[in-house]
Amino acid sequence: MLKNTSVPNLAFKKNFAACVSRHQALQQAKRGCLIMTTVGDEADPYWIRPPIPVLEELDFKRDPLLMPRLLCDCAEKSFAVRADYQDDWLPFLSPRYGTGIIGGMLLGNMQFGADTSWTSEVGSTLEESITFPWGEENVWIDRVVEALNYMAKRLRGKCYVFLEGYHAPLEWAALVRGSPLYLELSTEPEMVHELLRRSDTALTWLYKLIESRVQKEEYGALAHSLWMEKCLPFLSDDSAGLMSPAHYAEFGAPYTDAMFRRFGGGFLHFHTLGYHQMDNLGAMNGLTLHNWRQDPNTPQPEEILTRLLPGAQAKIIMLSLTPAQIREKIEILAQGRFLIYSRCQDRREQEDIIGFIHEKTPITAI
């Protein structure tokens, strides 16, 4: 438990104490919903995009803090506008280096595209991939830590700061090995487990390093959008969508679950391509909440909400729904635990849907 039981103020969230209380209650509840909103033409708070040059054009050597500085400039304006919203959204900001940043910090280098980044596969065989390097200090560790500390200091007392894009061991193993990994689950299972164990060790080293070097003074932590006392802010397991439930139960879920248990729980980024992994997600003891990120040619979550309900009774599920969809699906939503993000046309619609959620989906242990 946190030693300080008095909830501090948060400049960008005037009802911060009430939010923390509701977030805590949902984690102990049998059912209930939290509601996060934007109004009108506001930019989505999860994807703030100030006028930053494309990643491949950023000169990190000359000005390593340009991107975090511009993000802070934007957040200080847009988050201040939302400060008096009576919803359950908690302000946070993450620096953006693309999906390759964890690889850059482990391997020491990465490549940039217009809006993302990546690292190359390690070696040409499974044996060579298992020997991927890690544990060495490098410039990308320095840059990320410097950026996070800059943002945390500048936004102290205003909002949360963390790095998104953490890989689960399976996802990292697929990055360093490439597509042959999915055949090797069947042909070389013991060697794949060796790669997964090494991935788990390396990733844990990096996540603990970031945790120890970033000087944050926030009250508790955020598992993406959920307040927790301590947690992993973000873990991604995209590879789960490319394998059977049986293979994920052996090669994915145990390593992902162990990572969450190690850090006290947290948020798992998941895709609708992985709907078939619903039971595996619900069985993870360490996982706190996950999302369903939309993929092409898969049903929208609201279209199969009844199928998703058992998962929302085992864990908390984060969804995006319109106010109209919330009203249409309220009987199902009231039976599980959901963290709902909704775009509202105006403040009147926002106030109505917040009151509707609080009335119709009360957080309850019964």
Side-chain angles (χ1 to χ4, degrees):
M1 298 294 290
L2 290 174
K3 294 181 180 179
N4 178 14
T5 57
S6 177
V7 179
N9 294 324
L10 195 68
F12 291 156
K13 192 64 178 175
K14 293 181 180 178
N15 67 333
F16 179 56
C19 277
V20 169
S21 179
R22 285 175 53 79
H23 285 227
Q24 287 179 303
L26 185 64
Q27 292 166 57
Q28 306 300 322
K30 294 294 184 181
R31 58 178 181 260
C33 293
L34 301 177
I35 178 74
M36 308 175 294
T37 62
T38 56
V39 177
D41 59 358
E42 289 176 344
D44 186 332
Y46 312 113
W47 301 101
I48 290 179
R49 295 190 180 276
I52 299 175
V54 293
L55 285 174
E56 62 185 346
E57 294 179 4
L58 285 175
D59 188 343
F60 288 101
K61 291 182 180 179
R62 184 182 64 83
D63 190 355
L65 292 178
L66 173 62
M67 176 262 292
R69 188 166 63 248
L70 292 175
L71 284 171
C72 287
D73 289 345
C74 185
E76 286 177 337
K77 296 177 181 178
S78 65
F79 290 178
V81 172
R82 298 182 174 96
D84 66 346
Y85 288 2
Q86 295 301 301
D87 63 0
D88 298 303
W89 175 68
L90 292 175
F92 69 85
L93 195 63
S94 300
R96 292 191 185 139
Y97 298 94
T99 56
I101 187 57
I102 297 302
M105 299 172 79
L106 285 176
L107 305 178
N109 61 79
M110 60 179 175
Q111 298 171 275
F112 285 101
D115 196 33
T116 190
S117 60
W118 65 92
T119 52
S120 300
E121 298 166 11
V122 177
S124 59
T125 66
L126 181 55
E127 292 91 337
E128 291 173 340
S129 296
I130 291 172
T131 66
F132 71 85
W134 65 274
E136 297 292 333
E137 299 285 344
N138 64 68
V139 67
W140 287 110
I141 292 176
D142 294 339
R143 286 172 180 165
V144 169
V145 169
E146 182 183 15
L148 287 169
N149 276 319
Y150 168 83
M151 297 169 73
K153 182 178 180 180
R154 180 167 166 179
L155 299 174
R156 181 180 298 134
K158 298 179 180 179
C159 80
Y160 288 78
V161 171
F162 57 80
L163 179 68
E164 293 181 276
Y166 287 12
H167 301 301
L170 175 64
E171 184 173 89
W172 174 250
L175 290 173
V176 296
R177 177 63 183 120
S179 57
L181 180 76
Y182 298 102
L183 176 61
E184 291 159 350
L185 299 175
S186 297
T187 61
E188 300 288 350
E190 292 307 314
M191 291 186 65
V192 170
H193 277 297
E194 185 177 349
L195 174 58
L196 290 166
R197 287 189 293 268
R198 183 172 171 83
S199 299
D200 179 73
T201 301
L203 293 168
T204 299
W205 169 81
L206 180 61
Y207 302 158
K208 287 185 175 181
L209 181 148
I210 295 171
E211 189 175 65
S212 68
R213 293 189 183 178
V214 177
Q215 305 302 309
K216 296 187 293 183
E217 298 181 7
E218 298 150 357
Y219 181 75
L222 285 192
H224 192 281
S225 298
L226 182 74
W227 188 93
M228 298 184 66
E229 291 186 5
K230 60 178 183 177
C231 62
L232 272 177
F234 187 104
L235 200 67
S236 177
D237 219 356
D238 288 354
S239 295
L242 302 177
M243 61 182 60
S244 70
H247 276 126
Y248 187 62
E250 178 180 353
F251 297 97
Y255 295 93
T256 300
D257 197 25
M259 189 71 76
F260 282 123
R261 293 198 307 270
R262 191 175 296 132
F263 286 89
F267 170 83
L268 181 63
H269 168 73
F270 224 71
H271 278 253
T272 56
L273 186 63
Y275 276 144
H276 57 288
Q277 306 294 359
M278 291 180 194
D279 290 344
N280 280 322
L281 292 176
M284 290 189 199
N285 293 324
L287 172 63
T288 310
L289 79 156
H290 66 86
N291 69 337
W292 286 112
R293 181 74 181 275
Q294 190 66 45
D295 286 312
N297 303 315
T298 59
Q300 298 279 342
E302 64 271 15
E303 296 173 357
I304 60 166
L305 200 55
T306 302
R307 285 179 55 200
L308 299 181
L309 182 58
Q313 293 170 331
K315 303 297 171 185
I316 301 170
I317 290 182
M318 180 177 170
L319 295 177
S320 292
L321 299 171
T322 67
Q325 289 169 337
I326 291 172
R327 293 180 183 277
E328 178 186 353
K329 304 292 185 179
I330 194 63
E331 291 186 7
I332 303 173
L333 295 171
Q335 298 176 54
R337 293 186 299 166
F338 294 92
L339 199 164
I340 304 169
Y341 167 61
S342 189
R343 293 179 180 271
C344 302
Q345 294 182 1
D346 51 38
R347 290 295 294 266
R348 176 62 180 272
E349 184 175 54
Q350 179 199 42
E351 292 170 1
D352 286 348
I353 202 64
I354 292 171
F356 184 77
I357 282 288
H358 288 180
E359 177 187 356
K360 301 296 185 180
T361 63
I363 298 173
T364 175
I366 299 175

